[in-house]
Amino acid sequence: MLIESGSPVAADQRIDISLTINGETRALQVAPWTTLLDLLRERLDLTGTKKGCDHGQCGACTVLVNGTRVNSCLVLAVMKDGAEITTVEGLASLQGPGSNALHPLQEAFIEHDAFQCGYCTPGQLCSSVGLLNEGHAKSREEIREAMSGNICRCGAYTNIVDAIEDVMQAGGSR
Amino acid sequence: MNRFEYVRAGTVSEAVAALAADPSARFIAGGTNLVDLMKYNVERPSRLVDISRLPLDAIEERDGGLRIGALVPNATLAYDERVRARYPLLGDALLAGASAQLRNAASTGGNLNQRTRCYYFYDEGTPCNKRQPGSGCPAIGGVNRIHAIFGTSAHCIATHPSDMCVALAALDATVRVEGPKGERSIAFSDYHRLPGDDPQRDTTLEPGEIVLSVDLPERGFAERYTYLKLRDRLSYAFALVSVAAALDLDGDTIREARLALGGVAHKPWRNREAEALLKGKPATRDSFQAAADLIVREAQPQSQNGFKIELARRAIVRGLEQAAAGTPQSSSDKRIQ
């Protein structure tokens, strides 16, 4: 059903929302308790975004909402009606419509071997893109601090920072 | 997560009415704390009132200070140019908390109203007087390394987890709220409360009240301040002890001192007697130690957190030294100078 300001939507109703995901606008019906993470993975088969802790502690679920990095596990999809979502599957499309080129950060992660098992990598990548969009981190120490919301159990941190620093020094492209 | 009704509020009065109509309803803005608590079944609201689209997201000049809308994200506030220039203590405290992702989502009002991270509060399999009044407090005599050393009661020894609030306490901010009975302002030190006999209440908000803004007075202590946060790892962890220190000096003499502690009580801990003691004294280690001794004299350890008393004493001295020297703690270089 359509949402109207101030009118409660009963718990058994599905709510009509619109999200632009990786450049494609989609009309969706969601239950109010559906997180953005579950919507992406379970309904839309965008399984690049990972569910690690599901409590906002590990960063594996990081996506970009209107260009800003957030933990998708703590976002109720219904609250983001009208937003633009970018997941790891859509990073290439940030290079231009229909582009199949990898994002410079994806290239840099490969070049610097910035992963081992890869489970945290989609979150690390989206978080890094968010970090570059924010433009606050400049030094290596600041990159480390600004990436502290992304845990890597394999301990690839050094190479992740190398990759981000590399792209940052190249002005966001390589 | 339980099933709930969803209401999207278009106006503040609509939000207040939607909450007042249902005692187990909750406001939701950033969701970073509430959604997490719902996943643990600690919060089971019958209705969520989505306030994220209300026009409360501006930072405005007001009476020489700033009015911070309740929906301003923590990251926006931390990096705001006026905050960086005039209230760097607040900006630094915000950046010491959580992660970049959480700060992007979390709101100013939500930061005020976040719940404790006490393990027992989060675990619905254990008793907790805050979660279930009258059920008991297993933290007392239990695993309590992270718990409070000031202002505890026989019913609760939880701490308030916010960094932002420690800075706001030191800066003498005001919280502006609106409820079924209208609008009112609450002095920051009266906003959060001690657990006493009713630890289920974290704040003095009345049922149905919504935070509209946090108002900063003109004085920001931008010259001499620090936010020193000590924790188990260097980033993305709650404070064991934190210190927001701000000084106004006349040469080497202290004209005014502000000091608030985090991680040690059910609310940001301010001791006005210690601040008064510093007034007129030279800005030296001896003066700072005297103030620190006075503050920790009131501390009461639990079975596992006695270390916090000495940690707090030293953090107060170091924080005041950093403030006096005009060398605030860096939020990226974690070496403590």
Side-chain angles (χ1 to χ4, degrees):
Chain A
M1 65 179 289
L2 291 167
I3 184 105
E4 198 178 318
S5 155
S7 310
V9 176
D12 56 354
Q13 300 281 349
R14 297 293 177 271
I15 300 168
D16 291 315
I17 63 167
S18 164
L19 292 176
T20 301
I21 300 170
N22 298 332
E24 188 189 336
T25 302
R26 301 187 188 224
L28 299 160
Q29 287 202 319
V30 295
W33 48 86
T34 305
T35 63
L36 180 57
L37 175 60
D38 286 344
L39 176 71
L40 292 169
R41 287 183 56 84
E42 309 297 330
R43 289 270 302 281
L44 305 177
D45 291 332
L46 290 167
T47 54
T49 307
K50 297 294 185 264
K51 183 183 277 195
C53 69
D54 207 24
H55 289 283
Q57 296 176 6
C58 75
C61 69
T62 303
V63 301
L64 301 162
V65 177
N66 298 327
T68 300
R69 51 179 164 160
V70 299
N71 302 110
S72 63
C73 71
L74 295 180
V75 172
L76 298 179
V78 66
M79 291 178 66
K80 295 299 169 195
D81 189 5
E84 286 189 25
I85 315 292
T86 304
T87 69
V88 70
E89 292 92 340
L91 290 183
S93 71
L94 293 178
Q95 301 303 98
S99 166
N100 285 319
L102 289 179
H103 189 280
L105 276 161
Q106 291 173 307
E107 298 270 16
F109 267 57
I110 293 168
E111 187 169 312
H112 288 276
D113 197 17
F115 38 73
Q116 207 175 110
C117 81
Y119 193 84
C120 73
T121 309
Q124 301 276 5
L125 283 166
C126 286
S127 193
S128 313
V129 175
L131 180 151
L132 292 182
N133 289 347
E134 289 157 12
H136 301 304
K138 307 283 185 214
S139 67
R140 211 175 156 81
E141 289 71 29
E142 287 166 349
I143 293 171
R144 283 168 57 86
E145 172 64 22
M147 289 297 290
S148 72
N150 291 84
I151 310 296
C152 170
R153 289 192 67 181
C154 304
Y157 297 113
T158 308
N159 293 359
I160 293 169
V161 175
D162 286 347
I164 297 170
E165 199 177 22
D166 194 356
V167 176
M168 193 178 280
Q169 283 169 357
S173 57
R174 296 171 80 248
Chain B
M1 214 183 312
N2 65 296
R3 302 301 182 240
F4 54 84
E5 270 183 9
Y6 174 77
V7 188
R8 188 177 291 164
T11 62
V12 169
S13 50
E14 216 169 72
V16 169
L19 199 82
D22 182 346
S24 64
R26 292 284 183 274
F27 291 130
I28 185 165
T32 52
N33 189 213
L34 183 59
V35 173
D36 187 35
L37 289 167
M38 288 168 69
K39 289 183 178 189
Y40 283 111
N41 285 324
V42 174
E43 287 280 1
R44 300 178 56 84
S46 54
R47 167 187 287 188
L48 283 189
V49 181
D50 177 358
I51 58 170
S52 66
R53 288 163 200 250
L54 296 181
L56 298 173
D57 58 350
I59 303 174
E60 295 163 326
E61 296 285 344
R62 187 184 159 276
D63 298 341
L66 288 181
R67 168 161 284 176
I68 304 157
L71 293 173
V72 173
N74 289 178
T76 306
L77 183 57
Y79 293 112
D80 183 89
E81 280 179 22
R82 292 159 294 182
V83 171
R84 294 310 308 162
R86 288 153 56 189
Y87 306 95
L89 172 60
L90 174 60
D92 283 4
L94 280 157
L95 294 179
S99 67
Q101 290 95 318
L102 291 167
R103 292 192 295 266
N104 283 339
S107 66
T108 303
N111 191 318
L112 295 183
N113 292 320
Q114 65 181 305
R115 310 301 307 273
T116 184
R117 264 52 174 202
C118 172
Y119 320 119
Y120 301 98
F121 174 71
Y122 259 81
D123 181 359
E124 62 164 348
T126 63
C128 168
N129 287 325
K130 188 181 276 299
R131 181 166 30 77
Q132 200 179 346
S135 61
C137 175
I140 297 173
V143 179
N144 53 38
R145 187 173 167 277
I146 65 168
H147 288 73
I149 52 172
F150 293 111
T152 54
S153 78
H155 307 287
C156 181
I157 59 169
T159 60
H160 193 264
S162 171
D163 292 296
M164 178 188 84
C165 290
V166 183
L168 291 176
L171 291 169
D172 268 344
T174 304
V175 185
R176 198 168 55 99
V177 305
E178 184 173 326
K181 292 180 198 157
E183 194 180 309
R184 66 183 179 117
S185 288
I186 307 170
F188 203 82
S189 51
D190 297 329
Y191 185 79
H192 296 100
R193 54 189 299 287
L194 292 177
D197 294 335
D198 47 357
Q200 69 276 18
R201 289 183 61 210
D202 294 348
T203 70
T204 53
L205 271 186
E206 297 293 335
E209 281 185 325
I210 185 172
V211 176
L212 299 177
S213 69
V214 172
D215 296 346
L216 292 175
E218 190 170 353
R219 293 185 73 190
F221 296 88
E223 303 298 319
R224 299 181 190 281
Y225 71 94
T226 196
Y227 189 72
L228 176 61
K229 180 177 182 181
L230 305 174
R231 42 190 158 174
D232 280 330
R233 53 176 188 243
L234 291 177
S235 183
Y236 201 14
F238 291 101
L240 292 166
V241 172
S242 70
V243 175
L247 290 172
D248 181 11
L249 299 185
D250 179 8
D252 288 334
T253 306
I254 300 168
R255 258 197 299 248
E256 185 166 0
R258 300 278 184 84
L259 199 53
L261 306 186
V264 293
H266 201 256
K267 61 187 287 187
W269 191 253
R270 253 184 97 174
N271 183 320
R272 288 173 205 258
E273 208 186 323
E275 292 175 19
L277 179 76
L278 286 166
K279 207 167 183 166
K281 297 284 194 313
T284 59
R285 177 171 280 207
D286 283 349
S287 306
F288 301 152
Q289 271 173 344
D293 288 343
L294 192 152
I295 292 169
V296 300
R297 210 168 58 200
E298 281 187 277
Q300 288 185 318
Q302 299 296 320
S303 52
Q304 299 178 344
N305 71 354
F307 74 96
K308 279 195 179 189
I309 297 175
E310 182 60 16
L311 193 64
R313 201 180 67 78
R314 292 180 187 217
I316 292 164
V317 174
R318 187 59 60 93
L320 286 166
E321 284 182 336
Q322 289 184 340
T327 53
Q329 179 63 41
S330 164
S331 53
S332 55
D333 178 355
K334 303 299 170 65
R335 283 171 296 185
I336 297 169
Q337 306 289 348

